[in-house]
């Protein structure tokens, strides 16, 4: 099952008019399969959710995406960038880090960039109104 945080983030991005396509590493047969999936997809933006125990796997994903899609935008978020952004902020393969909740911050970042505005590399998320 896809992590519920990614499902919530996906819903927020779709509500903002974006097309979302999730890749679940657990469903792949290895790094070659992941590389083939990256090559197959035409995404302009890749989001990578990172939990601390999976930091090295996430770094490998980011590096592989950057090698295969050099012009794409890579945004990381999740628990690890929230509690330890300093471990990722200097990674040149990552364009933006979302610290905290991304349901509002990630669509806002994409809207800002679409308008040609700049954004800080470290973005502080805010909790969404779950009742809404």
């Amino acid at each position: 099952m896809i992590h519920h945080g990614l499902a919530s983030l996906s819903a927020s991005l779709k509500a903002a008019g974006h097309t979302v396509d999730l890749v679940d590493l657990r469903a792949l047969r290895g790094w070659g399969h992941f590389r083939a999936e990256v090559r197959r997809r035409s995404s302009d933006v890749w989001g990578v959710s990172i939990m601390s125990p999976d930091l090295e796997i996430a770094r490998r994903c980011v590096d592989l995406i950057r090698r295969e899609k050099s012009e794409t935008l890579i945004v990381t978020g999740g628990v690890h960038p929230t509690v330890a952004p300093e471990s990722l902020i200097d990674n040149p393969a990552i364009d933006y880090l979302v610290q905290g909740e991304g349901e509002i911050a990630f669509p806002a970042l994409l809207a800002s960039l679409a308008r040609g505005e700049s954004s800080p590399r470290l973005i502080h998320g805010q909790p969404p109104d779950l009742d809404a």
Side-chain angles (χ1 to χ4, degrees), residues 94-109:
I94 297 171
D95 296 297
Y96 298 97
L97 289 88
V98 176
Q99 189 177 36
E101 304 296 330
E103 285 83 355
I104 296 170
F106 197 4
L109 168 66

Side-chain angles (χ1 to χ4, degrees), residues 34-99:
F34 180 64
R35 176 177 277 110
E37 288 298 313
V38 170
R39 288 178 177 169
R40 185 177 70 78
R41 297 164 196 249
S42 60
S43 302
D44 294 328
V45 178
W46 287 76
V48 178
S49 180
I50 306 173
M51 293 177 52
S52 296
D54 301 322
L55 178 59
E56 292 311 313
I57 292 169
R59 282 186 176 146
R60 190 166 177 183
C61 287
V62 165
D63 290 342
L64 193 148
I65 294 165
R66 180 59 66 212
R67 278 194 308 273
E68 296 296 327
K69 305 280 186 171
S70 63
E71 299 302 315
T72 197
L73 186 72
I74 298 177
V75 181
T76 62
V79 176
H80 190 81
T82 296
V83 299
E86 68 282 352
S87 67
L88 297 165
I89 198 73
D90 292 330
N91 184 332
I94 297 171
D95 296 297
Y96 298 97
L97 289 88
V98 176
Q99 189 177 36

Side-chain angles (χ1 to χ4, degrees), residues 3 9 12-13 19 21 31 33-34 45-46 49 51 70 77 79 82 85 90 96-97 103 110 119 121-122 126:
H3 185 275
L9 185 58
S12 295
L13 289 164
T19 300
D21 186 12
W31 289 109
H33 192 184
F34 180 64
V45 178
W46 287 76
S49 180
M51 293 177 52
S70 63
V79 176
T82 296
D90 292 330
Y96 298 97
L97 289 88
E103 285 83 355
L110 297 181
S119 180
R121 193 144 186 264
L122 181 61
Q126 58 197 52

